[in-house]
């Protein structure tokens, strides 16, 4: 399954012979640099570019093109090189675009030699930059990983190479420009816009994150009919610039690239047209994808982007109105003649009236967009499969153990203050398999200042149990195992549903000895699988090794943990997800304050969740602070027990 990366995210590489595929809306120059462990390029012989396209383990194209393939053999890369950076730059010839903001967002994919995608990244948020570090492949503890970088440079290729420590960077950038100019007549133009009749689109499999996704998609397809329209007001400078057709100089289309893909062969449902002057009627699955689950995933992600965009436009319009009113008031008061009599009062009233009109107009547009999104949410929520659905969704009452792993998992809901008026919540979906552990923070925060600490502990552990039950339910029987560390046995009540159903891999580990044994067992599993993967000897694993994905729930950290256990826990957080071992910690960071900065990498490696609503999540797209709401089982409902009973039945049928 492809890992779709967001800026800063990494992914392990299990192959050493790879291709880097680039797709852009205009001809770009592709190159690569080798650098040491400090990120410094030692000299020209560590730069592969159109004038010198081959280095040990690297080969790049000799000309500018809209589509590229770079060959990489990591085994042949010099030992002194610890990073391989993939660079993209715009040609500097006449008629060429001078900034990435004027072309479609570049898409980069790491593939095997057979064309199977390992990871992909859509480079958004570029504007005045004319050169960008797209990806970097880097060594870590003897293994290679890929990281999405997306660092742009308005100073072009010269500024990029200078930042990497190359002494004669400007001169080399000029030579690269000359080499590109010599072959400019052979540059490959972007392909013409594709329609449904022109063939199936090549859509990349989506990936992570909450956050986060993009694919190799042309930017010429218009947004879907029921996409909200934003107010025609100034937008903040930090708002992202998504894909737009090459050469387009009009307003930026703020729709996420994943919403602009041409339809794959399996057509999505189409929204019936609305009444004249009215928006189209929402339809569940009104997005691209090869299956209904993928279409719903892309639709939910698109709803998130639409909500972020329309709220950003509203806030920008209000800021503009505030700024304009202040300027007009300052201007009125700066003239001494206007301070006497009714002239000044009239100017102030006029400024306030204009401010009110601008804000009312922006609010009207926001309310229209929110109403459309709320209508779409009302259609989409009932159609979601169990992995995407809340516990109150009727789909759980017909739950049966699945035959395959779903694309994503719902971790909760996301909301903005402006969307509360219509009760709009967006499902928070993360891709499976999980690429990072999770931490349910039972500490006190601004959102739960009145909540008792003991009550927070109980809620946090209950949230962990419900999340573990959801993971067990969405994986096929026998393909997911849950372990528990509860040193003092304080979580016995919360763990009762899992224990009664018999779906745990073993009894909860208690005491210092139990903690050490559980951590040693999972650490050994990580070591064995890593060695087998790196050596290409997966069939040499011990026959009794459980190959299922593993989840370790840790309660009451750091109680019962000695220094060795803490080190093992950090190791599992860093290396476990790549080989199917995941952490779910229930802890208060203040309880571990005695460790100081030693545990900072551990907390940063985990996705922080809360047992009560809290506005601690910020998206990298426009920087909104989103309120996270945990997916709690409705009070008095037995749906959790019913789902676990079905999980246990399916496990018994599999002989587990």
């Amino acid at each position: 399954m492809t890992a779709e990366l967001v800026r800063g995210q990494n992914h392990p590489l299990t192959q050493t012979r790879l291709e880097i595929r680039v797709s852009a809306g205009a001809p770009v120059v592709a190159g690569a640099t080798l650098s040491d462990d400090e990120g410094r390029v030692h000299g020209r012989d560590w730069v592969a570019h159109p004038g010198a396209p081959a280095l040990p383990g690297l080969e790049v194209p000799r000309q500018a093109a809209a589509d590229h393939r770079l060959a990489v053999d990591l085994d042949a890369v010099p030992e002194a090189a610890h990073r391989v950076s993939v660079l993209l730059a715009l040609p500097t010839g006449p008629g060429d675009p001078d900034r990435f903001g004027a072309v479609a967002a570049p898409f980069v994919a790491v593939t095997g030699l057979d064309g199977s995608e390992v990871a992909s990244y859509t480079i958004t948020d570029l504007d005045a930059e004319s050169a960008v570090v797209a990806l970097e492949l880097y060594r870590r503890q003897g293994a290679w990983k890929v990281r999405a970088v997306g660092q742009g440079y308005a100073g072009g290729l010269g500024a990029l190479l200078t930042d990497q420590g190359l002494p004669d960077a400007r001169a080399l950038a000029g030579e690269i420009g000359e080499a590109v100019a010599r072959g400019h007549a052979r540059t490959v133009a972007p392909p013409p816009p594709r329609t449904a009749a022109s063939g199936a689109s090549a859509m990349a499999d989506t990936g992570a994150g909450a956050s986060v996704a993009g694919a190799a998609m042309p930017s010429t397809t218009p947004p879907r009919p029921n996409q909200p329209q934003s107010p025609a007001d100034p937008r903040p400078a930090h708002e992202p610039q998504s894909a737009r057709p090459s050469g387009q100089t009009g307003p930026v289309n703020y729709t996420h690239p994943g919403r602009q893909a041409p339809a794959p062969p399996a057509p999505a449902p189409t929204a019936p047209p609305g009444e004249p002057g009215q928006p189209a009627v929402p339809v569940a699955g009104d997005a691209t994808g090869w299956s209904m689950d993928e279409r719903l995933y892309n639709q939910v992600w698109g709803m998130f982007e639409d909500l972020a965009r329309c709220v950003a436009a509203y806030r920008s319009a209000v800021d503009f109105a505030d700024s304009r009113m202040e300027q007009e008031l300052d201007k009125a008061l700066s003239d001494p003649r206007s301070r006497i009599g009714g002239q000044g009062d009239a100017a102030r009233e006029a400024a306030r009236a204009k401010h009110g009109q601008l804000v009312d107009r922006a609010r009207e547009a926001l309310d229209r967009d929110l109403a459309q999104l709320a209508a779409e949410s009302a259609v989409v929520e009932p159609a979601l499969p169990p992995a995407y659905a809340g516990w109150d969704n009727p789909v759980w009452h017909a739950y049966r153990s699945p035959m395959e792993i779903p694309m994503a998992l719902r971790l909760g809901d996301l909301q903005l203050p402006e969307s509360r008026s219509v009760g709009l919540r967006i499902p928070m979906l993360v891709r499976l398999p999980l690429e990072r552990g999770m931490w349910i923070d039972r500490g006190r925060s601004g959102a739960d200042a009145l909540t008792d600490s003991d009550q927070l502990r109980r809620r946090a552990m209950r949230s962990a149990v419900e999340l573990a039950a959801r993971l067990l339910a969405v994986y096929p029987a026998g393909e997911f195992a849950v372990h528990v560390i509860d040193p003092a046995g304080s979580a016995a009540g919360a763990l009762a549903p899992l224990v009664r159903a018999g779906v745990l891999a073993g009894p909860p580990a208690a005491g210092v000895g139990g903690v050490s044994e559980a951590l040693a067992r999972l650490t050994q599993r990580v070591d064995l699988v890593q060695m087998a993967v790196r050596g290409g000897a997966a069939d040499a694993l011990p026959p009794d090794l459980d190959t299922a994905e593993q989840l370790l729930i840790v309660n009451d950290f750091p109680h019962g943990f000695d220094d060795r256990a803490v080190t093992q826990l950090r190791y599992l957080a860093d290396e476990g997800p790549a080989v199917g071992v995941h952490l779910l910690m229930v802890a208060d960071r203040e309880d571990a304050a005695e460790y100081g900065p030693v545990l900072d990498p551990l907390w940063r490696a985990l996705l922080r969740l809360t047992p009560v609503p809290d506005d601690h999540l910020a998206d990298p797209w426009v920087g909104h602070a989103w309120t996270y709401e945990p997916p709690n089982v409705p009070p008095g409902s037995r749906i959790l027990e019913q789902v676990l009973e079905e999980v246990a039945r399916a496990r018994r049928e599999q002989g587990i």
Side-chain angles (χ1 to χ4, degrees), residues 369-447:
D369 290 351
L370 291 179
Q372 183 65 20
L373 283 170
E376 184 175 9
S377 177
V379 172
V380 169
E381 279 284 357
L384 295 177
Y388 303 175
W391 286 113
D392 57 349
N393 193 310
V395 71
W396 284 108
H397 293 281
Y399 165 77
R400 291 294 180 268
S401 182
M403 300 299 293
E404 58 183 21
I405 302 173
M407 288 183 57
L409 178 78
R410 187 171 186 159
L411 293 184
D413 294 329
L414 297 174
Q415 194 178 43
L416 289 173
E418 289 83 354
S419 65
R420 293 194 182 105
S421 61
V422 294
L424 176 61
R425 294 174 175 82
I426 306 296
M428 179 181 173
L429 304 180
V430 296
R431 294 302 302 265
L432 292 179
L434 298 171
E435 295 187 354
R436 62 189 299 196
M438 292 166 288
W439 160 38
I440 299 180
D441 187 0
R442 68 182 188 199
R444 303 176 71 85
S445 65

Side-chain angles (χ1 to χ4, degrees), residues 119-131:
S120 64
Y121 173 42
T122 301
I123 311 172
T124 56
D125 278 347
L126 296 178
D127 185 10
E129 298 88 346
S130 57

Side-chain angles (χ1 to χ4, degrees), residues 439-443 457 554-563 565-567 569-570 585-604 606:
W439 160 38
I440 299 180
D441 187 0
R442 68 182 188 199
R457 288 172 178 263
V554 179
N555 185 40
D556 273 347
F557 177 80
H559 179 73
F561 283 74
D562 54 22
D563 290 345
V566 169
T567 301
L569 195 67
R570 288 184 54 186
M585 291 185 58
V586 181
D588 181 356
R589 190 168 181 173
E590 293 299 320
D591 292 344
E594 64 185 42
Y595 287 94
V598 173
L599 289 181
D600 285 351
L602 173 64
W603 304 119
R604 286 196 298 266
L606 303 174

Side-chain angles (χ1 to χ4, degrees), residues 35-118:
S35 54
D36 58 21
D37 54 354
E38 296 181 354
R40 296 184 63 84
V41 179
H42 287 187
R44 289 171 171 244
D45 55 347
W46 278 30
V47 182
H49 57 84
L55 290 180
L58 280 176
E59 186 171 356
V60 303
R62 296 176 178 269
Q63 60 193 40
D67 296 289
H68 287 292
R69 292 191 180 189
L70 289 69
V72 181
D73 185 353
L74 297 174
D75 288 336
V77 171
E79 286 294 327
H82 288 257
R83 298 184 193 176
V84 178
S85 300
V86 178
L87 322 176
L88 303 178
L90 293 171
T92 56
D96 291 321
D98 59 355
R99 60 189 184 93
F100 274 108
V103 301
F107 171 78
V108 187
V110 180
T111 73
L113 296 183
D114 59 354
S116 59
E117 287 192 5
V118 178

